[in-house]
Short mmCIF file of all heavy atoms in Angstrom, two decimals:
data_model
loop_
_atom_site.label_atom_id
_atom_site.label_comp_id
_atom_site.label_asym_id
_atom_site.label_seq_id
_atom_site.Cartn_x
_atom_site.Cartn_y
_atom_site.Cartn_z
N ILE A 257 -10.96 39.77 44.14
CA ILE A 257 -11.08 41.19 43.82
C ILE A 257 -10.03 41.57 42.78
O ILE A 257 -8.87 41.16 42.85
CB ILE A 257 -10.89 42.04 45.10
CG1 ILE A 257 -11.91 41.64 46.17
CG2 ILE A 257 -11.00 43.52 44.77
CD1 ILE A 257 -13.35 41.84 45.76
N CYS A 258 -10.41 42.37 41.82
CA CYS A 258 -9.49 42.88 40.81
C CYS A 258 -8.46 43.79 41.48
O CYS A 258 -8.81 44.68 42.25
CB CYS A 258 -10.27 43.65 39.75
SG CYS A 258 -9.22 44.53 38.56
N VAL A 259 -7.17 43.58 41.15
CA VAL A 259 -6.13 44.40 41.76
C VAL A 259 -6.05 45.79 41.14
O VAL A 259 -5.36 46.67 41.66
CB VAL A 259 -4.74 43.72 41.65
CG1 VAL A 259 -4.72 42.42 42.42
CG2 VAL A 259 -4.34 43.50 40.20
N GLY A 260 -6.78 45.99 40.05
CA GLY A 260 -6.75 47.30 39.40
C GLY A 260 -7.84 48.24 39.86
O GLY A 260 -7.64 49.46 39.90
N CYS A 261 -9.02 47.69 40.22
CA CYS A 261 -10.15 48.58 40.54
C CYS A 261 -10.95 48.13 41.77
O CYS A 261 -11.90 48.81 42.15
CB CYS A 261 -11.08 48.66 39.34
SG CYS A 261 -11.86 47.09 38.90
N ASP A 262 -10.59 46.99 42.36
CA ASP A 262 -11.25 46.46 43.56
C ASP A 262 -12.66 45.93 43.30
O ASP A 262 -13.39 45.63 44.26
CB ASP A 262 -11.31 47.50 44.70
CG ASP A 262 -9.93 47.80 45.25
OD1 ASP A 262 -9.05 46.92 45.17
OD2 ASP A 262 -9.73 48.91 45.76
N ASN A 263 -13.07 45.81 42.05
CA ASN A 263 -14.35 45.17 41.75
C ASN A 263 -14.21 43.66 41.81
O ASN A 263 -13.11 43.11 41.66
CB ASN A 263 -14.85 45.59 40.36
CG ASN A 263 -15.32 47.03 40.34
OD1 ASN A 263 -15.85 47.54 41.32
ND2 ASN A 263 -15.12 47.71 39.21
N VAL A 264 -15.32 42.98 42.01
CA VAL A 264 -15.31 41.51 42.06
C VAL A 264 -15.00 40.96 40.67
O VAL A 264 -15.56 41.41 39.67
CB VAL A 264 -16.66 40.97 42.56
CG1 VAL A 264 -16.68 39.44 42.52
CG2 VAL A 264 -16.93 41.47 43.98
N LEU A 265 -14.09 39.99 40.62
CA LEU A 265 -13.73 39.38 39.34
C LEU A 265 -14.85 38.48 38.83
O LEU A 265 -15.53 37.81 39.61
CB LEU A 265 -12.46 38.54 39.49
CG LEU A 265 -11.16 39.29 39.77
CD1 LEU A 265 -10.01 38.30 39.95
CD2 LEU A 265 -10.82 40.25 38.64
N GLY A 266 -15.03 38.47 37.52
CA GLY A 266 -15.95 37.54 36.90
C GLY A 266 -15.35 36.15 36.84
O GLY A 266 -14.15 35.96 37.07
N GLN A 267 -16.16 35.15 36.49
CA GLN A 267 -15.69 33.78 36.47
C GLN A 267 -14.55 33.57 35.46
O GLN A 267 -13.69 32.72 35.66
CB GLN A 267 -16.85 32.84 36.13
CG GLN A 267 -17.86 32.70 37.26
CD GLN A 267 -18.92 31.66 36.95
OE1 GLN A 267 -19.10 31.28 35.80
NE2 GLN A 267 -19.59 31.19 37.98
N SER A 268 -14.53 34.33 34.38
CA SER A 268 -13.50 34.16 33.36
C SER A 268 -12.31 35.10 33.57
O SER A 268 -11.36 35.07 32.79
CB SER A 268 -14.10 34.40 31.96
OG SER A 268 -14.61 35.72 31.86
N ASP A 269 -12.34 35.92 34.62
CA ASP A 269 -11.27 36.88 34.86
C ASP A 269 -10.14 36.23 35.66
O ASP A 269 -10.37 35.33 36.47
CB ASP A 269 -11.78 38.10 35.63
CG ASP A 269 -12.76 38.93 34.83
OD1 ASP A 269 -12.64 38.93 33.59
OD2 ASP A 269 -13.63 39.57 35.43
N ASP A 270 -8.93 36.71 35.45
CA ASP A 270 -7.76 36.24 36.18
C ASP A 270 -6.97 37.44 36.67
O ASP A 270 -6.36 38.15 35.88
CB ASP A 270 -6.89 35.37 35.28
CG ASP A 270 -5.63 34.86 35.99
OD1 ASP A 270 -5.53 35.00 37.21
OD2 ASP A 270 -4.75 34.32 35.29
N THR A 271 -7.01 37.69 37.98
CA THR A 271 -6.24 38.75 38.65
C THR A 271 -6.78 40.16 38.39
O THR A 271 -6.90 40.96 39.31
CB THR A 271 -4.75 38.69 38.28
OG1 THR A 271 -4.26 37.37 38.54
CG2 THR A 271 -3.94 39.69 39.10
N ILE A 272 -7.05 40.50 37.13
CA ILE A 272 -7.66 41.78 36.82
C ILE A 272 -8.95 41.55 36.04
O ILE A 272 -9.09 40.53 35.35
CB ILE A 272 -6.72 42.72 36.04
CG1 ILE A 272 -6.39 42.15 34.66
CG2 ILE A 272 -5.46 43.01 36.84
CD1 ILE A 272 -5.59 43.11 33.79
N CYS A 273 -9.87 42.48 36.17
CA CYS A 273 -11.16 42.34 35.50
C CYS A 273 -11.06 42.70 34.02
O CYS A 273 -10.06 43.26 33.56
CB CYS A 273 -12.21 43.22 36.18
SG CYS A 273 -11.92 44.99 35.99
N PHE A 274 -12.10 42.39 33.28
CA PHE A 274 -12.10 42.67 31.84
C PHE A 274 -11.96 44.16 31.57
O PHE A 274 -11.23 44.58 30.66
CB PHE A 274 -13.40 42.15 31.21
CG PHE A 274 -13.52 42.45 29.75
CD1 PHE A 274 -12.76 41.76 28.82
CD2 PHE A 274 -14.38 43.46 29.31
CE1 PHE A 274 -12.86 42.06 27.46
CE2 PHE A 274 -14.48 43.75 27.95
CZ PHE A 274 -13.72 43.05 27.02
N SER A 275 -12.63 44.98 32.38
CA SER A 275 -12.57 46.43 32.19
C SER A 275 -11.14 46.94 32.33
O SER A 275 -10.66 47.75 31.52
CB SER A 275 -13.48 47.14 33.19
OG SER A 275 -13.36 48.54 33.08
N CYS A 276 -10.42 46.46 33.36
CA CYS A 276 -9.03 46.88 33.54
C CYS A 276 -8.14 46.34 32.43
O CYS A 276 -7.21 47.03 31.99
CB CYS A 276 -8.52 46.41 34.90
SG CYS A 276 -9.12 47.40 36.29
N SER A 277 -8.41 45.13 31.99
CA SER A 277 -7.56 44.52 30.97
C SER A 277 -7.59 45.29 29.66
O SER A 277 -6.58 45.36 28.94
CB SER A 277 -7.96 43.06 30.73
OG SER A 277 -9.22 42.98 30.10
N ILE A 278 -8.73 45.89 29.33
CA ILE A 278 -8.81 46.65 28.07
C ILE A 278 -8.44 48.12 28.27
O ILE A 278 -8.34 48.87 27.30
CB ILE A 278 -10.22 46.55 27.43
CG1 ILE A 278 -11.28 47.17 28.35
CG2 ILE A 278 -10.55 45.11 27.09
CD1 ILE A 278 -12.67 47.22 27.71
N ASP A 279 -8.24 48.50 29.54
CA ASP A 279 -7.90 49.89 29.83
C ASP A 279 -6.43 50.04 30.23
O ASP A 279 -6.03 51.09 30.71
CB ASP A 279 -8.80 50.41 30.96
CG ASP A 279 -8.79 51.93 31.05
OD1 ASP A 279 -8.73 52.58 29.98
OD2 ASP A 279 -8.83 52.46 32.17
N MET A 280 -5.63 48.98 30.04
CA MET A 280 -4.21 49.06 30.39
C MET A 280 -3.50 50.00 29.40
O MET A 280 -3.62 49.84 28.18
CB MET A 280 -3.58 47.68 30.32
CG MET A 280 -4.14 46.70 31.35
SD MET A 280 -3.43 46.94 32.98
CE MET A 280 -1.87 46.10 32.80
N PRO A 281 -2.77 50.99 29.91
CA PRO A 281 -2.18 52.01 29.03
C PRO A 281 -0.91 51.53 28.33
O PRO A 281 0.21 51.84 28.72
CB PRO A 281 -1.87 53.15 30.01
CG PRO A 281 -1.60 52.44 31.31
CD PRO A 281 -2.50 51.24 31.33
N ARG A 282 -1.06 50.78 27.25
CA ARG A 282 0.05 50.20 26.50
C ARG A 282 0.91 51.29 25.86
O ARG A 282 0.41 52.30 25.39
CB ARG A 282 -0.47 49.28 25.41
CG ARG A 282 -0.86 47.87 25.85
CD ARG A 282 0.34 47.00 26.11
NE ARG A 282 1.28 47.05 25.00
CZ ARG A 282 1.19 46.34 23.89
NH1 ARG A 282 0.18 45.51 23.73
NH2 ARG A 282 2.10 46.44 22.95
N THR A 283 2.21 51.04 25.81
CA THR A 283 3.12 51.97 25.15
C THR A 283 3.38 51.61 23.68
O THR A 283 3.63 52.50 22.86
CB THR A 283 4.49 52.00 25.85
OG1 THR A 283 5.13 50.72 25.68
CG2 THR A 283 4.35 52.30 27.34
N ASN A 284 3.41 50.32 23.39
CA ASN A 284 3.79 49.80 22.06
C ASN A 284 5.23 50.15 21.70
O ASN A 284 5.62 50.08 20.53
CB ASN A 284 2.84 50.31 20.97
CG ASN A 284 1.42 49.77 21.15
OD1 ASN A 284 1.23 48.57 21.31
ND2 ASN A 284 0.45 50.66 21.16
N PHE A 285 6.04 50.49 22.69
CA PHE A 285 7.44 50.83 22.43
C PHE A 285 8.22 49.64 21.88
O PHE A 285 9.22 49.82 21.18
CB PHE A 285 8.13 51.31 23.72
CG PHE A 285 7.67 52.65 24.23
CD1 PHE A 285 7.94 53.03 25.53
CD2 PHE A 285 6.98 53.53 23.41
CE1 PHE A 285 7.54 54.27 26.02
CE2 PHE A 285 6.57 54.77 23.88
CZ PHE A 285 6.85 55.13 25.19
N GLU A 286 7.79 48.43 22.21
CA GLU A 286 8.53 47.23 21.78
C GLU A 286 8.60 47.09 20.26
O GLU A 286 9.42 46.36 19.72
CB GLU A 286 7.89 45.97 22.38
CG GLU A 286 6.58 45.52 21.77
CD GLU A 286 5.37 46.32 22.22
OE1 GLU A 286 5.51 47.19 23.11
OE2 GLU A 286 4.27 46.05 21.71
N LEU A 287 7.74 47.84 19.57
CA LEU A 287 7.67 47.74 18.11
C LEU A 287 8.62 48.72 17.41
O LEU A 287 8.81 48.63 16.20
CB LEU A 287 6.24 48.02 17.64
CG LEU A 287 5.15 47.10 18.21
CD1 LEU A 287 3.79 47.56 17.74
CD2 LEU A 287 5.40 45.65 17.83
N HIS A 288 9.20 49.65 18.19
CA HIS A 288 9.92 50.75 17.56
C HIS A 288 11.32 50.95 18.13
O HIS A 288 11.51 50.99 19.35
CB HIS A 288 9.13 52.06 17.74
CG HIS A 288 7.70 51.95 17.27
ND1 HIS A 288 7.37 51.87 15.93
CD2 HIS A 288 6.54 51.90 17.96
CE1 HIS A 288 6.06 51.78 15.81
NE2 HIS A 288 5.53 51.78 17.03
N ALA A 289 12.30 51.08 17.25
CA ALA A 289 13.65 51.47 17.67
C ALA A 289 13.65 52.94 18.07
O ALA A 289 12.80 53.71 17.65
CB ALA A 289 14.63 51.23 16.53
N ASN A 290 14.60 53.29 18.93
CA ASN A 290 14.76 54.68 19.38
C ASN A 290 13.52 55.20 20.10
O ASN A 290 13.20 56.39 20.04
CB ASN A 290 15.11 55.60 18.21
CG ASN A 290 16.36 55.14 17.48
OD1 ASN A 290 17.31 54.68 18.10
ND2 ASN A 290 16.35 55.25 16.16
N ASN A 291 12.81 54.30 20.76
CA ASN A 291 11.64 54.71 21.54
C ASN A 291 12.08 55.45 22.81
O ASN A 291 13.29 55.49 23.12
CB ASN A 291 10.77 53.49 21.86
CG ASN A 291 11.47 52.49 22.76
OD1 ASN A 291 11.83 52.79 23.89
ND2 ASN A 291 11.68 51.27 22.25
N PRO A 292 11.16 56.05 23.55
CA PRO A 292 11.55 56.85 24.72
C PRO A 292 12.35 56.09 25.78
O PRO A 292 13.18 56.70 26.47
CB PRO A 292 10.20 57.32 25.28
CG PRO A 292 9.33 57.42 24.07
CD PRO A 292 9.73 56.24 23.22
N VAL A 293 12.12 54.79 25.93
CA VAL A 293 12.91 54.03 26.90
C VAL A 293 14.35 53.90 26.40
O VAL A 293 15.30 54.10 27.16
CB VAL A 293 12.30 52.63 27.16
CG1 VAL A 293 13.11 51.89 28.22
CG2 VAL A 293 10.85 52.75 27.61
N GLU A 294 14.52 53.57 25.15
CA GLU A 294 15.87 53.43 24.60
C GLU A 294 16.64 54.75 24.67
O GLU A 294 17.85 54.77 24.92
CB GLU A 294 15.81 52.90 23.18
CG GLU A 294 15.33 51.45 23.13
CD GLU A 294 15.30 50.87 21.72
OE1 GLU A 294 15.64 51.59 20.76
OE2 GLU A 294 14.94 49.69 21.60
N ARG A 295 15.93 55.84 24.48
CA ARG A 295 16.61 57.15 24.50
C ARG A 295 17.15 57.49 25.89
O ARG A 295 18.09 58.30 26.01
CB ARG A 295 15.65 58.25 24.02
CG ARG A 295 15.33 58.14 22.52
CD ARG A 295 14.84 59.46 21.96
NE ARG A 295 13.55 59.85 22.49
CZ ARG A 295 12.37 59.55 21.94
NH1 ARG A 295 12.34 58.82 20.81
NH2 ARG A 295 11.25 59.96 22.47
N LEU A 296 16.58 56.89 26.93
CA LEU A 296 17.10 57.11 28.28
C LEU A 296 18.55 56.65 28.42
O LEU A 296 19.29 57.15 29.27
CB LEU A 296 16.25 56.37 29.32
CG LEU A 296 14.85 56.90 29.61
CD1 LEU A 296 14.10 55.95 30.53
CD2 LEU A 296 14.91 58.29 30.24
N PHE A 297 18.96 55.70 27.57
CA PHE A 297 20.28 55.10 27.71
C PHE A 297 21.27 55.56 26.64
O PHE A 297 22.40 55.10 26.61
CB PHE A 297 20.14 53.57 27.69
CG PHE A 297 19.18 53.05 28.72
CD1 PHE A 297 17.90 52.66 28.36
CD2 PHE A 297 19.53 53.00 30.06
CE1 PHE A 297 16.99 52.21 29.31
CE2 PHE A 297 18.64 52.55 31.02
CZ PHE A 297 17.37 52.16 30.65
#
Side-chain angles (χ1 to χ4, degrees):
I257 303 299
C258 172
V259 297
C261 64
D262 292 333
N263 288 327
V264 176
L265 293 177
Q267 289 186 342
S268 61
D269 294 331
D270 179 11
T271 307
I272 65 174
C273 67
F274 177 73
S275 176
C276 283
S277 69
I278 63 174
D279 197 37
M280 296 280 280
R282 279 285 310 278
T283 66
N284 295 309
F285 291 163
E286 74 282 354
L287 302 176
H288 307 289
N290 303 322
N291 65 62
V293 183
E294 291 182 358
R295 291 201 293 269
L296 289 173
F297 305 103

